[in-house]
Amino acid sequence: MRVVVVGAGIVGAAVARELAGAGVTVTVLDRAASAGGTSAAGEGNLLVSDKGPGPELVLAQRSLTLWQSLRDELPDFPSVEYEAKGGLVVATTTAGAAGLRRFAESQRGAGVLAEEVDPHDLEPDLTRDYTAAFHYPQDAQVQPAIATEALLAAARRRGAEVRQGVEVLGPISLHGRLAGVRTSAGDLHADHVVVAAGPWSGEVSSRLGVMLPVRPRRGTILVTTRMPQRIRHKVYDADYVGAVGSDDAALQTSSVVESTASGTVLIGSSRERRGFDGRIEARVLSALAAKAMVLFPFLADVAVMRAYGGFRPYVPDHLPVIGPDPRLAGLWHATGHEGAGIVLSAATAELLADLLLGRETHVPSSPFAVERPTLASHLASSV
Amino acid sequence: MPEVLIIGAGPAGLAAATAARRAGARVVVLDAAEDVGGQYWRHLPQQRPAGREEVLHHGWERFTGLRRELTGVEIVTGAQVWLAERHDGRPPTVHILVGPADGADRVRRVFDPGALVLATGAYERTLPFPGWDLPGVFTAGAAQALAKSERVAVGRRVLVAGAGPFLLPVASSLIRTGARVVGVLEAGGWSRLGRAWTARPTELLSASHKAGELAGYARDLVRHRVPYRVATGVIAAHGHDRVEEVTVARLDAQWAPVPGTSRRVAVDAVCVGHGFVPRSELAVAAGCQTGPDGTVVVDADCRSSVPGVFAAGEITGIGGADLALAEGTIAGTVAAGAAPTSAQRRDVLVYQRFATRLSDGHGIRPGWAEWLADDTLICRCEEVTAGELRDIAAATGSRGLRSLKLSTRAGLGVCQGRVCGRSVEELLDRTTGGLLDPGRTANRPLAGLVRLGELARTQGDPS
Amino acid sequence: MTTTGPARLEAADDPVSPGPTSEIAIVVDGSEIRGLAGQTIAGVLLAAGRQSWRTTARQGRPRGVFCGIGVCFDCLVTVNGLRDVRACQRHAADGDEVSTDA
Ligand SMILES: Cc1cc2nc3c(=O)[nH]c(=O)nc-3n(C[C@H](O)[C@H](O)[C@H](O)COP(=O)(O)OP(=O)(O)OC[C@H]3O[C@@H](n4cnc5c(N)ncnc54)[C@H](O)[C@@H]3O)c2cc1C
Ligand SMILES: Cc1cc2nc3c(=O)[nH]c(=O)nc-3n(C[C@H](O)[C@H](O)[C@H](O)COP(=O)(O)OP(=O)(O)OC[C@H]3O[C@@H](n4cnc5c(N)ncnc54)[C@H](O)[C@@H]3O)c2cc1C
Ligand code: FES
């Protein structure tokens, strides 16, 4: 069986690795370089703490299990910097505390470990002005670009081919079925085509003949200079919980503060819908800085050396799209992971391979299906 | 709202400011340094004004003349421009912090200029070699800056090496600051230099005072018996915690060391510069188109690709202070809505030819990669070696700079690739068989360090 | 006076004839170093014969001034408790407490 995967981001990489491992002949195409899109433009949080009960949480939980074995798969590769450091979610208002307690309670019912703690045992430099704090020991992190390259290297070891600088331009159709892709480097025939083009998945899908409502949601992150470690967990304010699922187009920031293996601190992140507008704006940076200082007042004197960002690929009902497209045989999707594509890539790849190879799936597939009811009205509308 | 905002108070910025002022515009000049003058006219601080600054400066009267003409221009020194917010079809919003360098309580100001002149200059490119991270190894520009503004000689027995006529004023300043210069080594060979400097001699005559300036430096070398060697370079520095010796070798036409020609020279400092890199981050952030060498693309009026944004001086191409002055005059005049004279335009052409000679004779050749050992640092901040760059590029198979920066950490440190960026790109371009996203290391959205507390403070209204 | 390493030219010997200025003193890792008003912190350190002061994070190697114009960030010091200050750009103020071990 021959499969073309469109996109060498973390989702395409994980899918390629999974399929190649099952003996499929896989070609990954990317119009740019590997790990050069969203997967190199965000953070590498592997979180359950920000997800309420539901299908996304189930996918994340399965992913965390898979990441445990993925992290050591390539011993002679640059480290993917997997660290099971745990998350600390902090509320700073009375209303926030109540909301956080309710949210944590519901998560516990779904198997998430969440414990109310005195945060200063975990983070001595945290603000004294907090109202509630929960520790999520299952939260982890990786360095997302290296993780993407590691998955691609693993796919190559299993026989996959990765072609960079090759753009997918259109379909090769045969008897009403997708039989491959036309690319900037010629035609490529395949039994199946998997679109894993992140925020550009809508564009790729329409080139192949179907409409898929994947849109960009801008996110910006600040990077500080190196410093002696004073932040030990992924620490975020409880507002984060509200922002993830929100439909508001306007700027939202919630603070996620974490230190990296190199000693820098990442401060993320904003959420804003404004198309593919990549400008770095002072008002966004100011909002991020102010929120971070609420959590860690000592950050006021810390120097920021860079700001970067990317476009989360989101779908109107805020769930990834994973599986075959009923409108065009041979077309598959693995996309729309919004702000959780790094963590979800692992179980996404497993689910897609299970479906494509006709195996029993490890998680229920219907919530992610293209034909799910919450997506129906959006599929009907035009791009 | 200022009509013309100028970033950089070096020769280009000052010339632009006076020209725009003469054309009747309201002008504001910003510079991160505590005084005007830029790199070329660096001088002793106001607390210790020199009696005879002209000893170290050719054309000092030109500077004092320009400075006198600045009356009526608002000059903000100690002003770090840290962000240029791009807008479509008009100049960016310019954000500055005013106060002591890297301080925590600087004052935030914001400008929405009618026209913007970028005159941010250039900094030196030093190619990596084993030991170049040892204390006592300086850029040639560091020696120059410390001599001019501190009267400090970086060492007592100093070797100056690299490429380009800039090495001559550096050696001259070192001598006049009390150092013994044991040699000036030019990587370019006579045949290339000869071709660059002797072809069409009439052109050189029209830039004659520039040639005269260089001759003055050369006389300094002769007087102090400083040997000047061509086709020669420093290919390694040695010492435990500081440089004690360097290895000097003859270089072939591609700058690869000629086997059997290396020898050791005892020094306590070595000053190395192989050329200049435009300081283009603000231009990139503003959306201005840049060329493959990182310089800002401008037309004969110094207009960049963004309406209302002009560029002048070293960021448009490395050509020395005279070209910077000539371009600044054009940029300031046009930015203020006036037309330059034909004599002003002719000046630019004359000095541009001079600049072409520079790059013909002294431009970096690819053989430098042969100076490297596996454990030679390429990225000084993150301490990434040549061997690591190559091995990780091979392991990932990536042809993307964005990915390779993240997997190697080269260019991710506090200098943000200012020092290593070009070298990293050139090395990776060779090992990967061609990068698909070259030029990325010039992309630095923040043009300086900003404290989170400063960022969080409300920015005030645009002025 | 040592005969190797960086040094400031004394005003009396200087063809540039620097004007008179006041002395300042800064405290570097607990020891006082004297300098002249208007010097940068790097200038004060170099004039005192110090070629290096920072230690790198990965290999613990010494660093001092490299570019001298604020571009390379090799010369970083902590000034009055504030980390990441470029010594070649920050003018020394009398009484500044500088530490180099950050
Ligand atoms: C600021 C920010 C912070 C984030 N933080 C986290 C986090 O902490 N944890 C987490 O799990 N997730 C996080 N995310 C989300 C995560 O980064 C994304 O969900 C994930 O990277 C998406 O991966 P992808 O492979 O689908 O897309 P991408 O990585 O974007 O890859 C898609 C690829 O498709 C290629 N492509 C596009 N069009 C074509 C074409 N026509 N032909 C060929 N190739 C094409 C592109 O070049 C690109 O390389 C964050 C995102 C952002 C923006
Ligand atoms: C260290 C050094 C020493 C040199 N010495 C000589 C010499 O002796 N002789 C010679 O012929 N050439 C010398 N040069 C070459 C020099 O670049 C040019 O001759 C000339 O100075 C170029 O003029 P300019 O106006 O384009 O730029 P510059 O003189 O470099 O002026 C640019 C100005 O912009 C400011 N600036 C840049 N970015 C920002 C920002 N983000 N915010 C605020 N301000 C900013 C800088 O502080 C600087 O003052 C030197 C170069 C360097 C790097
Ligand atoms: S020496 Fe390069 S920044 Fe100070």
Side-chain angles (χ1 to χ4, degrees), chain B residues 3-7 84 91-92 94 113-118 282 286 308-311 335:
Chain B
E3 280 164 63
V4 179
L5 181 70
I6 296 168
I7 306 178
V94 172
L116 175 66
V117 178
L118 295 168
L282 293 172
V309 179
F310 299 77

Side-chain angles (χ1 to χ4, degrees), chain A residues 81 222-231 258-266 298-299 301-306, chain B residues 377 379-384 388 408-416 449 451, chain C residues 54-60 63 73 76-78 82-85 101-102:
Chain A
E81 299 174 11
L222 296 172
V223 191
T224 73
T225 54
R226 267 178 205 277
M227 58 178 173
Q229 192 175 20
R230 285 178 77 174
I231 296 169
E258 60 170 308
S259 55
T260 68
S262 67
T264 61
V265 170
L266 300 185
F298 85 87
L299 286 174
D301 279 349
V302 169
V304 173
M305 62 178 181
R306 195 175 187 94
Chain B
L377 292 190
C379 169
R380 299 167 63 96
C381 297
E382 295 295 299
E383 300 173 83
V384 182
E388 284 169 326
T408 62
R409 295 205 58 74
L412 295 188
V414 61
C415 97
Q416 289 287 294
L449 293 185
R451 309 279 165 185
Chain C
R54 191 171 70 90
T55 309
T56 61
R58 218 177 129 186
Q59 297 179 7
R63 293 280 171 88
F73 293 77
L76 293 181
V77 289
T78 298
L82 190 68
R83 294 168 52 84
D84 297 328
V85 175
D101 54 1

Side-chain angles (χ1 to χ4, degrees), chain A residues 31-37 40-41 76-78 81 143 145-146 149 153 156 164-165 222 224-226 260 262 264 267 277-283 285-290 292-293 299-309, chain B residues 82-88 95 104-105 108 381-383 392 394-409 411-416 436-437 440 443-446 448-457 459:
Chain A
R31 66 174 171 193
S34 56
D76 53 347
F77 199 78
E81 299 174 11
Q143 209 277 20
I146 304 179
E149 293 292 0
R156 259 194 237 103
Q164 304 172 64
L222 296 172
T224 73
T225 54
R226 267 178 205 277
T260 68
S262 67
T264 61
I267 296 169
D277 175 355
R279 283 179 295 190
I280 300 283
E281 290 180 304
R283 67 183 172 94
L285 308 186
S286 295
L288 284 169
M293 280 163 52
L299 286 174
D301 279 349
V302 169
V304 173
M305 62 178 181
R306 195 175 187 94
Y308 71 98
Chain B
W82 61 273
L83 183 69
E85 274 176 335
R86 176 163 52 84
H87 301 298
D88 294 325
H95 294 257
D105 301 307
R108 236 174 119 167
C381 297
E382 295 295 299
E383 300 173 83
I392 293 175
T396 62
S398 181
R399 290 174 60 196
L401 203 48
R402 185 166 204 170
S403 175
L404 285 164
K405 275 177 68 180
L406 288 162
S407 53
T408 62
R409 295 205 58 74
L412 295 188
V414 61
C415 97
Q416 289 287 294
L436 294 170
D437 54 351
R440 280 205 84 89
N443 176 24
R444 283 180 281 277
L446 302 187
L449 293 185
V450 192
R451 309 279 165 185
L452 279 157
E454 293 174 323
L455 263 185
R457 223 162 291 145
Q459 58 189 56

Side-chain angles (χ1 to χ4, degrees), chain B residues 355-432:
Chain B
T356 310
R357 286 168 183 268
L358 291 193
S359 58
D360 284 354
H362 306 274
I364 288 172
R365 314 297 297 170
W368 64 267
E370 304 198 14
W371 309 342
L372 307 176
D374 270 359
D375 63 354
T376 305
L377 292 190
I378 305 297
C379 169
R380 299 167 63 96
C381 297
E382 295 295 299
E383 300 173 83
V384 182
T385 66
E388 284 169 326
L389 265 190
R390 199 193 40 231
D391 292 349
I392 293 175
T396 62
S398 181
R399 290 174 60 196
L401 203 48
R402 185 166 204 170
S403 175
L404 285 164
K405 275 177 68 180
L406 288 162
S407 53
T408 62
R409 295 205 58 74
L412 295 188
V414 61
C415 97
Q416 289 287 294
R418 286 173 173 89
V419 175
C420 71
R422 287 296 183 80
S423 301
V424 166
E425 289 205 23
E426 284 173 24
L427 291 174
L428 286 176
D429 200 60
R430 288 183 225 179
T431 43
T432 58

Side-chain angles (χ1 to χ4, degrees), chain B residues 234-260:
Chain B
V234 166
I235 59 165
H238 316 275
H240 181 57
D241 282 337
R242 57 182 201 79
V243 65
E244 287 157 19
E245 285 185 324
V246 292
T247 298
V248 168
R250 283 193 60 79
L251 305 178
D252 67 18
Q254 296 305 316
W255 291 16
V258 176

Side-chain angles (χ1 to χ4, degrees), chain B residues 79-459:
Chain B
Q80 173 70 49
V81 178
W82 61 273
L83 183 69
E85 274 176 335
R86 176 163 52 84
H87 301 298
D88 294 325
R90 65 179 172 99
T93 303
V94 172
H95 294 257
I96 70 170
L97 285 161
V98 187
D102 302 327
D105 301 307
R106 293 169 291 180
V107 176
R108 236 174 119 167
R109 279 180 73 181
V110 184
F111 297 88
D112 258 323
L116 175 66
V117 178
L118 295 168
T120 48
Y123 55 87
E124 251 178 317
R125 171 148 182 220
T126 298
L127 297 169
F129 52 84
W132 74 309
D133 53 314
L134 281 171
V137 179
F138 297 88
T139 67
Q144 183 75 326
L146 287 160
K148 283 183 175 177
S149 52
E150 303 272 355
R151 301 306 289 132
V152 164
V154 293
R156 313 291 170 91
R157 261 183 74 80
V158 187
L159 189 63
V160 177
F166 178 53
L167 303 179
L168 300 176
V170 171
S172 170
S173 293
L174 276 164
I175 293 168
R176 290 168 191 231
T177 311
R180 187 167 153 231
V181 177
V182 297
V184 176
L185 311 183
E186 162 64 51
W190 276 126
S191 62
R192 209 164 148 234
L193 294 181
R195 244 178 289 127
W197 287 96
T198 56
R200 293 183 304 280
T202 48
E203 275 178 24
L204 270 190
L205 276 183
S206 45
S208 62
H209 94 96
K210 185 80 212 176
E213 175 182 342
L214 291 173
Y217 301 133
R219 274 196 300 278
D220 266 0
L221 298 193
V222 172
R223 195 174 320 124
H224 292 88
R225 300 183 203 294
V226 177
Y228 178 80
R229 307 239 180 284
V230 299
T232 309
V234 166
I235 59 165
H238 316 275
H240 181 57
D241 282 337
R242 57 182 201 79
V243 65
E244 287 157 19
E245 285 185 324
V246 292
T247 298
V248 168
R250 283 193 60 79
L251 305 178
D252 67 18
Q254 296 305 316
W255 291 16
V258 176
T261 63
S262 66
R263 64 193 166 87
R264 295 237 186 167
V265 178
V267 292
D268 61 359
V270 54
C271 306
V272 192
H274 298 96
F276 288 88
V277 185
R279 208 163 185 165
S280 62
E281 52 263 271
L282 293 172
V284 170
C288 300
Q289 194 195 332
T290 54
D293 58 354
T295 55
V296 180
V297 176
V298 288
D299 67 10
D301 282 344
C302 291
R303 291 179 204 276
S304 76
S305 62
V306 177
V309 179
F310 299 77
E314 304 280 68
I315 57 163
T316 68
I318 307 308
D322 294 295
L323 181 57
L325 283 164
E327 289 179 345
T329 303
I330 303 279
T333 306
V334 181
T341 65
S342 51
Q344 288 169 335
R345 292 192 185 282
R346 205 165 42 238
D347 272 359
V348 172
L349 294 179
V350 167
Y351 293 115
Q352 262 167 358
R353 285 195 206 109
F354 192 81
T356 310
R357 286 168 183 268
L358 291 193
S359 58
D360 284 354
H362 306 274
I364 288 172
R365 314 297 297 170
W368 64 267
E370 304 198 14
W371 309 342
L372 307 176
D374 270 359
D375 63 354
T376 305
L377 292 190
I378 305 297
C379 169
R380 299 167 63 96
C381 297
E382 295 295 299
E383 300 173 83
V384 182
T385 66
E388 284 169 326
L389 265 190
R390 199 193 40 231
D391 292 349
I392 293 175
T396 62
S398 181
R399 290 174 60 196
L401 203 48
R402 185 166 204 170
S403 175
L404 285 164
K405 275 177 68 180
L406 288 162
S407 53
T408 62
R409 295 205 58 74
L412 295 188
V414 61
C415 97
Q416 289 287 294
R418 286 173 173 89
V419 175
C420 71
R422 287 296 183 80
S423 301
V424 166
E425 289 205 23
E426 284 173 24
L427 291 174
L428 286 176
D429 200 60
R430 288 183 225 179
T431 43
T432 58
L435 290 167
L436 294 170
D437 54 351
R440 280 205 84 89
T441 57
N443 176 24
R444 283 180 281 277
L446 302 187
L449 293 185
V450 192
R451 309 279 165 185
L452 279 157
E454 293 174 323
L455 263 185
R457 223 162 291 145
T458 47
Q459 58 189 56

